[in-house]
Amino acid sequence: RVLFLVIPGNPGIVNFYRTFMHKLYKALNQLYPVWAVSHAGHCVPPPSIEITKESEQEALEDVYGLNGQIAHKIVFIRKYVPKNVKLVLIGHSIGCYIILKMMKQEPSLRVLRAVLLFPTIERMAQSPQGKLMTPVLCRLRYVIYVPVYMLSFLPESVKTFIVRFVLQGMQNIDEASLSASLCLFNVNCLANAMYMASQEMVQVVDRDSSVIKEQLKKFIFYYGASDKWCPLQYYEDMKMEFSDGDIRLCEKGIRHAFVLDASKQMAAMIVDWLCKDLLNL
């Protein structure tokens, strides 16, 4: 009757969320399935999966762009989720923006709850991290492709060493995140992720307050206290505009990229937030 569906951030590689999904499923006493859908083109499909081309009518326009990724998720739900199933949507970062657009464009979705974690739903280019990354993503990203292409020929063990070296300052790093990071040595996956991110900087400007207002009771917003993608001012603006909304500020020091080291903590909190909704089913 209920499906938990995770819409990832960028890069939209589901393996980053593997531990989080496992912990969430266990915390739900294995009563509800927990799915996730990667962003199109952000990961290399396993060799066992046969890739089939869609017909021209089914093909999505600019599927690797931000709007195409929104349509990609709607098509996934239409194709694989039975219509009588209620959805608990969990978005992370740009996945929160995608969920807002999904709910607006597909009002027939049976959304029980939408949990938006570290939501980049407005003014991305104006955020501290956005100011730093916008020039790289919009004008300089092509420069990165050549060295990544060269690195892609390295043995897996060397790539793993590079990832561990880059992340060495983080304690308790999740092993699933290490393996997921290896996808970014594939130049096509990296290019698709950076192309989508460049569109985020341009398109994610004004918050879509209309869909939030219409379905406010379905949303839980969770902001980071020191998040450089959605700073404290964005949280305060949300609290001011939607005083009756469930809008929370992290008090546990969890980073924006929570999947790196706080998956268990986040899963436990979400189950605690939703326990009453699930008991009333």
Side-chain angles (χ1 to χ4, degrees):
R1 293 187 300 164
V2 176
L3 169 67
F4 283 69
L5 182 62
V6 179
I7 308 297
N10 187 359
I13 301 168
V14 160
N15 267 353
F16 276 119
Y17 298 81
R18 186 172 65 193
T19 300
F20 168 68
M21 293 169 65
H22 175 73
K23 298 297 183 183
L24 182 60
Y25 182 60
K26 297 285 281 186
L28 291 165
N29 295 319
Q30 304 181 37
L31 294 174
Y32 307 101
V34 180
W35 294 5
V37 53
S38 288
H39 295 323
H42 285 211
C43 56
V44 181
S48 58
I49 294 181
E50 183 179 350
I51 305 300
T52 57
K53 283 198 170 184
E54 302 283 356
S55 66
E56 286 187 14
Q57 282 115 355
E58 292 175 311
L60 298 173
E61 185 177 350
D62 191 22
V63 68
Y64 302 130
L66 184 54
N67 291 333
Q69 297 288 1
I70 296 165
H72 173 256
K73 308 306 174 289
I74 292 173
V75 169
F76 176 88
I77 291 173
R78 285 176 184 166
K79 190 170 183 179
Y80 296 108
V81 179
K83 291 184 178 180
N84 64 335
V85 169
K86 293 181 180 178
L87 290 166
V88 175
L89 299 174
I90 300 176
H92 174 222
S93 193
I94 194 61
C96 303
Y97 176 88
I98 291 173
I99 285 175
L100 290 181
K101 294 300 182 183
M102 288 166 58
M103 292 173 70
K104 185 171 187 175
Q105 295 176 21
E106 195 76 1
S108 62
L109 288 178
R110 300 187 66 197
V111 178
L112 176 67
R113 278 293 214 163
V115 181
L116 307 188
L117 307 173
F118 307 97
T120 53
I121 56 175
E122 59 177 309
R123 294 175 282 175
M124 282 191 71
Q126 295 177 37
S127 68
Q129 194 70 8
K131 289 176 182 177
L132 178 67
M133 293 302 297
T134 297
V136 176
L137 293 168
C138 294
R139 293 189 291 273
L140 301 175
R141 68 180 189 272
Y142 305 102
V143 178
I144 300 171
Y145 299 163
V146 173
V148 170
Y149 176 74
M150 301 301 292
L151 290 171
S152 69
F153 293 101
L154 293 173
E156 294 297 297
S157 58
V158 177
K159 295 177 188 175
T160 302
F161 172 81
I162 292 172
V163 172
R164 288 188 184 277
F165 179 79
V166 171
L167 299 177
Q168 64 180 335
M170 299 182 185
Q171 295 182 346
N172 304 316
I173 193 74
D174 183 13
E175 286 295 320
S177 295
L178 293 173
S179 61
S181 299
L182 297 179
C183 284
L184 298 175
F185 284 96
N186 181 295
V187 72
N188 291 322
C189 296
L190 180 70
N192 290 332
M194 295 188 76
Y195 171 63
M196 176 181 168
S198 71
Q199 292 197 350
E200 293 169 30
M201 299 305 111
V202 175
Q203 294 182 30
V204 183
V205 180
D206 297 321
R207 182 195 332 121
D208 193 339
S209 294
S210 62
V211 68
I212 297 172
K213 185 177 180 179
E214 288 168 8
Q215 307 192 57
L216 185 60
K217 297 301 181 185
K218 294 182 179 179
F219 290 111
I220 298 174
F221 292 88
Y222 189 74
Y223 282 83
S226 57
D227 190 342
K228 293 189 177 353
W229 278 114
C230 34
L232 189 61
Q233 184 63 50
Y234 294 9
Y235 160 78
E236 292 173 347
D237 292 345
M238 280 287 292
K239 288 286 286 185
M240 184 174 295
E241 183 164 352
F242 302 103
S243 56
D244 294 333
D246 191 344
I247 303 165
R248 305 168 184 239
L249 184 66
C250 177
E251 298 177 348
K252 301 177 183 294
I254 299 174
R255 70 177 82 238
H256 182 90
F258 74 91
V259 292
L260 295 178
D261 57 4
S263 289
K264 183 177 181 179
Q265 204 172 1
M266 187 61 69
M269 285 194 295
I270 290 173
V271 172
D272 184 55
W273 299 340
L274 299 178
C275 61
K276 287 184 180 179
D277 296 285
L278 297 173
L279 285 173
N280 292 331
L281 288 174

